[in-house]
Amino acid sequence: MVWSGLTVGVTGGAGFIGSHLVDRLLSEGASVVVLDVCSSEKAAQVPDSARLVIGSIADPDARREALSDCDAIFHLAAIASVVLCEEDSELSASVNRQASLDLLAEAGISGVGAFVFASSAAIYGEPQHLPITESHPITPLATYGADKAAVDEAITTLGLEEVPATALRFFNVYGPGQDPSSPYSGVVSIFTQRASSGEGVTIFGDGLQTRDFVHVSDVVSAMMTAGESLLTHSTASPAHATPFNVCSGETVTLLDVVATLDAITQQPMDVTHAPARDGEIRDSFGDPSYLIETLDWTPEVTLEEGLRELLDQL
Ligand code: UD2
């Protein structure tokens, strides 16, 4: 067992994806340290068996307290709202960019055996070809994507003498625990909650925009697999200084999502159309084959299975 007995830091470990990762690491026998700015409500949800340091990744003392003795670090903490990053680009620059770069440098100094960064499909910007492969140009549309891209690039240009690290480019992640009421709620969390309560949904645009929804358990497996490879092979790992798309390869329209929910609940939802969101990307779907072939990862949860699971839990 690669993780048993290791101390593993998870920044953003009280968040949606991070909390699933923490559960998985604990079940694999790791000692987990969570660094998160979380509310007291979120703090209470962090398992007692993990050590929680409440603080920002932009605070060097908090980083030191939480992460200086870690064997591996998963870096998920970020200002996740694209809108907030646009409104406060200084905040995004200090948290999403500079603190992440500082953390990466400190991980190198302290000899961390694996650094896994939560990058984003947002770094690709408007797709120039579909499906999006890792060689797609990095042309982010906004501050959030630009700051993620800066850290992604720092990782993918690391040398063999530096910290073993990888950048995982998440597409549209969904699954249990994603808050439908937050300002950056994913469409799946909103639509499943509405389907469950019998309320209608609003589709921005014609509903034919495409996305690549990847289940959080598959995202966790991708992070674990990449981390294991780095811990085992260090900078000789094929994951080192390499970016990977983390996506399902399943392309769906929003109308497909509604139709699938309708079929599961056997109750058609009321759908209202509103104008498309400004500056939104119409089609975004990725090619997961590089991760599948390089690290033997397989996305296992189909969108229909994932939606059924969510509705069962509501
Ligand atoms: C994703 C990320 C976002 C950022 C962005 C960069 C999520 C949840 N969001 O935004 O953080 O990285 O990519 O490109 O992963 N929609 C509706 N009705 C609703 C809500 C959404 O029609 O009530 C539409 C929305 O206009 C879009 C699609 O659903 O066409 C997906 O929206 P989203 O916010 O879940 O994700 P996305 O891809 O816009």
Side-chain angles (χ1 to χ4, degrees):
M1 288 262 276
V2 177
W3 300 100
S4 183
L6 296 188
T7 300
V8 182
V10 182
T11 74
F16 161 51
I17 303 173
S19 58
H20 286 274
L21 176 66
V22 167
D23 289 346
R24 179 77 183 273
L25 286 163
L26 290 170
S27 75
E28 299 271 338
S31 296
V32 177
V33 187
V34 170
L35 175 60
D36 202 299
V37 282
C38 54
S39 61
S40 49
E41 191 194 330
K42 284 270 175 208
Q45 289 164 14
V46 174
D48 290 340
S49 48
R51 182 163 81 88
L52 171 63
V53 175
I54 298 182
S56 167
I57 53 159
D59 174 358
D61 292 335
R63 292 202 300 270
R64 202 171 307 117
E65 186 189 342
L67 305 171
S68 55
D69 292 327
C70 287
D71 300 298
I73 293 174
F74 290 90
H75 176 35
L76 292 101
I79 310 290
S81 163
V82 175
V83 175
L84 179 56
C85 290
E86 217 44 34
E87 284 167 2
D88 192 345
S89 58
E90 269 180 44
L91 179 68
S92 179
S94 82
V95 176
N96 291 2
R97 183 187 294 240
Q98 194 54 52
S100 300
L101 295 173
D102 291 346
L103 189 57
L104 180 66
E106 289 157 9
I109 293 164
S110 63
V112 165
F115 187 95
V116 178
F117 172 59
S119 186
S120 169
I123 71 169
Y124 294 120
E126 186 65 46
Q128 295 171 25
H129 60 77
L130 291 163
I132 299 167
T133 54
E134 288 82 356
S135 60
H136 185 284
I138 306 301
T139 48
L141 292 181
T143 305
Y144 173 82
D147 288 333
K148 283 279 177 186
V151 184
D152 185 291
E153 193 198 349
I155 288 173
T156 55
T157 53
L158 284 170
L160 288 174
E161 303 305 313
E162 295 176 275
V163 59
T166 189
L168 301 183
R169 298 172 177 170
F170 298 165
F171 280 63
N172 289 65
V173 185
Y174 76 99
Q178 193 174 31
D179 178 4
S181 63
S182 90
Y184 52 92
S185 297
V187 70
V188 168
S189 67
I190 298 170
F191 282 15
T192 46
Q193 198 250 337
R194 300 275 171 82
S196 153
S197 60
E199 290 168 88
V201 294
T202 302
I203 289 184
F204 302 124
D206 60 10
L208 291 173
Q209 61 265 54
T210 52
R211 289 294 184 273
D212 185 327
F213 296 104
V214 59
H215 193 270
V216 67
S217 64
D218 287 327
V219 174
V220 167
S221 303
M223 287 189 283
M224 298 289 284
T225 304
E228 277 166 30
S229 179
L230 293 168
L231 281 169
T232 310
H233 303 290
S234 187
T235 55
S237 159
H240 175 60
T242 305
F244 295 99
N245 284 344
V246 180
C247 55
S248 68
E250 244 190 296
T251 310
V252 292
T253 67
L254 275 197
L255 294 180
D256 292 335
V257 175
V258 171
T260 309
L261 287 168
D262 285 350
I264 297 169
T265 60
Q266 308 259 313
Q267 212 176 19
M269 277 188 284
D270 282 338
V271 174
T272 310
H273 286 266
R277 283 174 174 168
D278 271 352
E280 178 167 291
I281 288 169
R282 182 157 175 88
D283 293 301
S284 166
F285 51 94
D287 180 350
S289 42
Y290 190 53
L291 181 55
I292 293 171
E293 284 156 19
T294 310
L295 294 180
D296 201 21
W297 167 82
T298 329
E300 284 179 349
V301 184
T302 64
L303 183 61
E304 189 187 333
E305 288 164 351
L307 293 177
R308 264 184 206 286
E309 175 205 29
L310 282 175
L311 286 169
D312 282 349
Q313 290 176 3
L314 285 168

